[in-house]
Amino acid sequence: MTSEAAPVGIGVIGLGRGFVLMLPAFRNDPRVKLVAACAPRQSSRTAFQYEFGGNTYEDADSLCADPAVEIVYVATPHQLHCEHVIAAAMAGKHVLVDKPLAVTLDHADRMIAACRDAGVHLLVGPSHSFDAPVRIAGELIEAGELGKVRMINAFNYTDFLYRPRRPEELDTGKGGGVLFSQGVHQIDIVRLLAGGLGETVTALTGNWDPARPTEGAYSALVSFAGGAFASLTYSGYAHFDSDEWMGWTGELGAEKDPQTYGDARRKLAAARSADEEIRLKSARTYGSGDMPKPATRHEHFGPIIVSLDHADLRLTPEGVHVYGDTRREFLPAPPLRTPRTEVIDAVVGAARDETPPAQTGAWGRASLEICLAILESAKSRSTVTLKHQTGI
Amino acid sequence: MTSEAAPVGIGVIGLGRGFVLMLPAFRNDPRVKLVAACAPRQSSRTAFQYEFGGNTYEDADSLCADPAVEIVYVATPHQLHCEHVIAAAMAGKHVLVDKPLAVTLDHADRMIAACRDAGVHLLVGPSHSFDAPVRIAGELIEAGELGKVRMINAFNYTDFLYRPRRPEELDTGKGGGVLFSQGVHQIDIVRLLAGGLGETVTALTGNWDPARPTEGAYSALVSFAGGAFASLTYSGYAHFDSDEWMGWTGELGAEKDPQTYGDARRKLAAARSADEEIRLKSARTYGSGDMPKPATRHEHFGPIIVSLDHADLRLTPEGVHVYGDTRREFLPAPPLRTPRTEVIDAVVGAARDETPPAQTGAWGRASLEICLAILESAKSRSTVTLKHQTGI
């Protein structure tokens, strides 16, 4: 009881935007404690030491070897995940790795094998599939009273492509574009609600702005084992904002001011060079001051409508609308206590050898496979058959 | 000037639900006059004579021969369109035929050929592609300042499948199910906004209620010449009602009361036999008293978001939201004067030999081709290449 109740010691590799977005969870949840960090930027390391007092490192291996670290949170750019996850596994540490697990299936396989061989848990998160309303919808589906999941309609319109970006974030071959960073959330949620086992993907992608030459949009039709199918649409081109249909709640659960329309494009237009854009991007890393507004509702990833035999479910940042055969009701999610509680649940579960969540390495590989299938289908103008899917 | 200003004499074949929905337009627009009707039901013919005083017939040929009839409005069940359109053409009359043009391409071809040979106009309508907000969006696109159309997301969640139906309306082979009656609207609108020339269709359909054994839902991915693509999703299973995102305006432009949730299913459950359901359906025909609420806004067919290079357009029953690169604006549609003015414009244009609208027979065949392609793609689990598409 005493040792179980001690906070789980987390070592972080990468103090960029991903870490910043996990900070409210780490700061507020007494079940975890940040004990070490690794980052190339001195200012970030200093800020970490100042706030958390742990050890900081310039190289990942040293962090992984730190005995205070029970689980390593890999929050580095996508293309570095493989190297850092394997380093953690080699040191015998459990791993939480930011979505997407990787940007190639080969990397995914190597990461999964390394963790399996080392006997450590590999969790992929945070991801919006952890959001409380998704969990509520999943439990309703699981209960079976509403019949089978038949169709899912998921869409999201954001300004993703016009937020400040490093050059590789606009280079699909290096994991850039909306599929790996954004689409994977939608895929994760839809897979979780449809049972996980995708069968085929047919998709078209949009790469419409020569100044941001990567996929900024897509529409995909995905079929699942059991007969369900899903339509997934995404645009990161910063026009219509579908948060309008989520009660003006932003992706991260904070209230959104519709009057800031066009801000992303305007700020970016003011940055006249790639260097200036990188400086803007750096201002969004840890220790740089540009922190997101605090969440007051649950996070979300755009409107999602799940059609079952006897009801449609519609997810909102506050819960789930259940539109039944003859009556409708709203199932509120529990009030937000600390942000991303569900991700911390998974971290604690992994470190304490409890049941891991659905979002394991194999799960993350299956979601990555659909990201890649969307790109491949759009390029080849054909339907892609999936081979690496995992159920719930 | 005098003869042009005289109202166009319309003869109607079929006094069912389609006619009922056109009535407010016919009654209120001085440019047209109902002069004759043909219907198998005596009560409908009597009601017509009582209200309009014209000639009524039991057979279509006699109506078509009536010299007062300048244009024949074919509002019979889908599977009878071919016979009635050809009868009108043989009599040398222009034709307005309810969507869908037909339920087979062979019928469509014969209707188009008959009208061409007779030198008469063949118009397919009413259809929601005539709705004023669609026209406004089309004009914005046509103007070119917003760049190219890149992606369209259209969806609609209704209670279509649970409204009272004749048996053939639940039999796909006879033109039943949501594709021919509902999907064709969505396809018409999307084609109009994307330039008309569909290239490929990949789709999955839902046939989920054994008591209503026809397609009640679908998701389709359609690619267009020029590179645009569209995602079309529809459910007629009476759960979530997407009119919630259209300001609680119903498809026909009337205000909707969210408190009537579940009414369609409840009323249907109260009808214990197919015969009773047919009686309910009959109560929705002309002369039977069950008239729709009057429209106060423009008609619509669910949320539609059009992504262009420099803006997203979102259609509502009141106009078009233009979400531009750095600012947004709302373009209101003109206030509703008389309902379906745009359909009457087309009727008058055809009868007076002006330019026909986009929605000709060839246009209707192209939309029908996509309905059929959605069914075929879902059945064969493959992508269907389109061959009969027409531009705007």
Side-chain angles (χ1 to χ4, degrees):
Chain A
M1 194 67 190
T2 46
S3 76
E4 273 81 10
V8 173
I10 299 179
V12 185
I13 309 180
L15 297 174
R17 191 69 180 168
F19 174 70
V20 165
L21 301 184
M22 270 306 288
L23 259 182
F26 291 142
R27 280 182 179 139
N28 291 296
D29 200 313
R31 297 174 295 166
V32 294
K33 182 175 159 61
L34 290 168
V35 295
C38 165
R41 200 187 310 270
Q42 175 65 55
S43 60
S44 303
R45 294 198 302 273
T46 304
F48 184 91
Q49 280 177 321
Y50 181 80
E51 179 170 358
F52 300 102
N55 299 316
T56 59
Y57 303 95
E58 281 181 71
D59 73 297
D61 287 332
S62 305
L63 175 129
C64 295
D66 187 324
V69 172
E70 294 176 80
I71 183 165
V72 175
Y73 171 38
V74 176
T76 47
H78 312 332
Q79 69 275 21
L80 302 177
H81 286 183
C82 184
E83 174 189 341
H84 294 144
V85 167
I86 290 174
M90 301 279 278
K93 303 294 167 72
H94 301 298
V95 194
L96 173 71
V97 57
D98 251 348
K99 56 77 216 167
L101 173 61
V103 295
T104 68
L105 289 175
D106 173 60
H107 273 196
D109 288 341
R110 287 167 53 200
M111 293 151 84
I112 293 168
C115 291
R116 185 188 56 223
D117 292 349
V120 298
H121 285 298
L122 172 57
L123 309 179
V124 185
S127 142
H128 286 295
S129 63
F130 284 96
D131 296 346
V134 175
R135 185 180 48 71
I136 292 170
E139 287 168 1
L140 268 175
I141 292 166
E142 178 71 20
E145 286 174 20
L146 301 175
K148 288 172 71 171
V149 171
R150 301 297 196 163
M151 179 170 85
I152 301 179
N153 186 10
F155 57 91
N156 204 2
Y157 286 74
T158 78
D159 59 7
F160 180 84
L161 209 63
Y162 294 93
R163 298 174 201 154
R165 297 287 163 211
R166 298 183 305 272
E168 74 265 27
E169 293 180 286
L170 301 174
D171 180 340
T172 311
K174 292 177 180 156
V178 298
L179 262 312
F180 297 111
S181 290
Q182 295 278 285
V184 71
H185 282 299
Q186 209 176 39
I187 292 163
D188 250 12
I189 296 169
V190 167
R191 285 187 58 236
L192 205 67
L193 300 177
L197 299 167
E199 288 190 337
T200 61
V201 173
T202 313
L204 289 162
T205 55
N207 185 333
W208 304 323
D209 182 350
R212 318 286 278 178
T214 185
E215 289 75 21
Y218 62 83
S219 269
L221 184 63
V222 183
S223 69
F224 286 89
F229 55 87
S231 171
L232 289 74
T233 293
Y234 185 93
S235 168
Y237 283 102
H239 292 135
F240 170 58
D241 181 347
S242 50
D243 289 343
E244 183 165 346
W245 285 337
M246 301 301 268
W248 285 116
T249 303
E251 177 186 350
L252 302 172
E255 210 174 313
K256 200 165 194 172
D257 178 3
Q259 299 312 319
T260 61
Y261 188 87
D263 269 9
R265 249 202 189 81
R266 260 191 301 272
K267 282 180 189 165
L268 192 62
R272 279 153 211 277
S273 67
D275 280 355
E276 252 185 88
E277 183 170 346
I278 291 171
R279 274 197 293 279
L280 284 177
K281 172 86 189 184
S282 299
R284 290 155 59 89
T285 60
Y286 181 58
S288 303
D290 180 7
M291 296 298 105
K293 281 174 70 175
T296 53
R297 302 168 199 164
H298 291 279
E299 300 193 9
H300 73 86
F301 201 71
I304 292 174
I305 303 158
V306 186
S307 297
L308 297 101
D309 290 312
H310 297 296
D312 287 352
L313 310 180
R314 182 163 70 83
L315 283 63
T316 81
E318 279 130 348
V320 176
H321 289 281
V322 183
Y323 301 92
D325 281 346
T326 52
R327 66 194 193 90
R328 54 186 171 166
E329 60 179 327
F330 182 71
L331 300 182
L336 197 72
R337 290 168 299 148
T338 57
R340 295 186 174 178
T341 302
E342 300 78 9
V343 179
I344 302 300
D345 290 345
V347 163
V348 174
R352 299 292 183 242
D353 283 316
E354 293 169 16
T355 315
Q359 296 88 339
T360 61
W363 176 272
R365 176 176 57 183
S367 292
L368 169 63
E369 186 190 22
I370 295 184
C371 291
L372 294 167
I374 289 173
L375 291 170
E376 186 190 333
S377 173
K379 198 171 171 186
S380 66
R381 298 299 292 261
S382 65
T383 296
V384 174
T385 300
L386 301 168
K387 296 172 190 147
H388 302 284
Q389 297 296 294
T390 59
I392 300 169
Chain B
M1 194 63 193
T2 46
S3 74
E4 273 80 13
V8 172
I10 299 180
V12 186
I13 308 180
L15 297 175
R17 192 67 180 169
F19 174 69
V20 165
L21 301 183
M22 270 305 288
L23 260 182
F26 290 142
R27 281 181 180 139
N28 291 296
D29 200 313
R31 296 174 296 166
V32 293
K33 183 175 160 58
L34 289 169
V35 295
C38 164
R41 200 185 310 270
Q42 175 67 52
S43 59
S44 303
R45 293 198 303 271
T46 303
F48 184 90
Q49 279 177 321
Y50 181 80
E51 179 172 358
F52 300 103
N55 300 315
T56 59
Y57 303 94
E58 281 183 69
D59 73 296
D61 286 333
S62 303
L63 176 129
C64 295
D66 186 325
V69 173
E70 292 177 80
I71 182 164
V72 174
Y73 171 39
V74 175
T76 47
H78 311 335
Q79 70 274 22
L80 301 178
H81 285 183
C82 184
E83 173 190 338
H84 294 144
V85 166
I86 291 175
M90 300 280 277
K93 303 294 166 71
H94 301 297
V95 193
L96 172 72
V97 57
D98 252 346
K99 56 80 214 165
L101 173 60
V103 294
T104 69
L105 289 175
D106 173 59
H107 273 197
D109 287 341
R110 287 167 51 201
M111 293 151 84
I112 292 167
C115 291
R116 186 189 57 223
D117 292 349
V120 298
H121 286 298
L122 173 56
L123 310 179
V124 186
S127 145
H128 287 296
S129 64
F130 284 96
D131 296 347
V134 176
R135 184 181 48 72
I136 292 170
E139 287 168 1
L140 268 173
I141 291 166
E142 176 72 18
E145 284 174 22
L146 302 176
K148 287 171 72 170
V149 171
R150 300 298 196 165
M151 180 169 83
I152 301 179
N153 186 10
F155 57 92
N156 203 3
Y157 287 72
T158 77
D159 60 7
F160 181 83
L161 210 61
Y162 293 93
R163 297 175 203 155
R165 296 288 164 212
R166 296 183 307 271
E168 74 263 27
E169 292 179 287
L170 301 174
D171 180 341
T172 312
K174 292 178 179 156
V178 300
L179 261 311
F180 298 111
S181 290
Q182 295 279 283
V184 70
H185 282 300
Q186 208 176 38
I187 292 163
D188 248 13
I189 296 169
V190 167
R191 286 186 58 233
L192 203 70
L193 300 177
L197 298 167
E199 288 190 335
T200 62
V201 173
T202 312
L204 289 161
T205 55
N207 185 336
W208 304 323
D209 182 352
R212 318 287 277 176
T214 185
E215 290 75 21
Y218 61 82
S219 268
L221 185 63
V222 182
S223 69
F224 287 88
F229 54 89
S231 171
L232 288 73
T233 292
Y234 185 93
S235 168
Y237 283 102
H239 292 136
F240 170 59
D241 182 346
S242 50
D243 289 343
E244 185 165 347
W245 285 336
M246 301 303 267
W248 287 115
T249 303
E251 176 186 349
L252 301 173
E255 212 174 310
K256 201 167 195 170
D257 178 4
Q259 298 313 319
T260 62
Y261 187 86
D263 268 9
R265 248 201 191 81
R266 259 191 301 272
K267 282 181 191 168
L268 192 61
R272 280 154 211 274
S273 67
D275 279 354
E276 254 185 85
E277 183 170 347
I278 291 172
R279 274 196 293 279
L280 285 175
K281 171 84 187 187
S282 297
R284 289 156 59 89
T285 59
Y286 181 57
S288 304
D290 182 8
M291 297 298 103
K293 283 174 69 176
T296 54
R297 302 169 198 162
H298 291 280
E299 299 193 11
H300 73 85
F301 202 72
I304 291 173
I305 304 158
V306 186
S307 297
L308 297 101
D309 290 311
H310 298 298
D312 287 352
L313 310 181
R314 182 163 72 81
L315 283 62
T316 81
E318 278 129 350
V320 177
H321 289 281
V322 182
Y323 301 93
D325 281 346
T326 53
R327 66 193 193 90
R328 54 185 171 164
E329 60 179 325
F330 182 72
L331 300 182
L336 196 71
R337 288 168 300 148
T338 57
R340 297 187 171 176
T341 303
E342 301 78 8
V343 178
I344 303 298
D345 291 345
V347 164
V348 174
R352 300 291 182 243
D353 283 315
E354 291 166 19
T355 315
Q359 296 88 338
T360 61
W363 176 271
R365 177 175 56 185
S367 292
L368 169 63
E369 186 189 22
I370 294 184
C371 292
L372 294 167
I374 288 173
L375 291 171
E376 186 189 334
S377 173
K379 198 170 170 187
S380 65
R381 300 297 294 259
S382 65
T383 296
V384 174
T385 300
L386 301 168
K387 295 172 190 150
H388 301 283
Q389 297 295 296
T390 59
I392 301 170

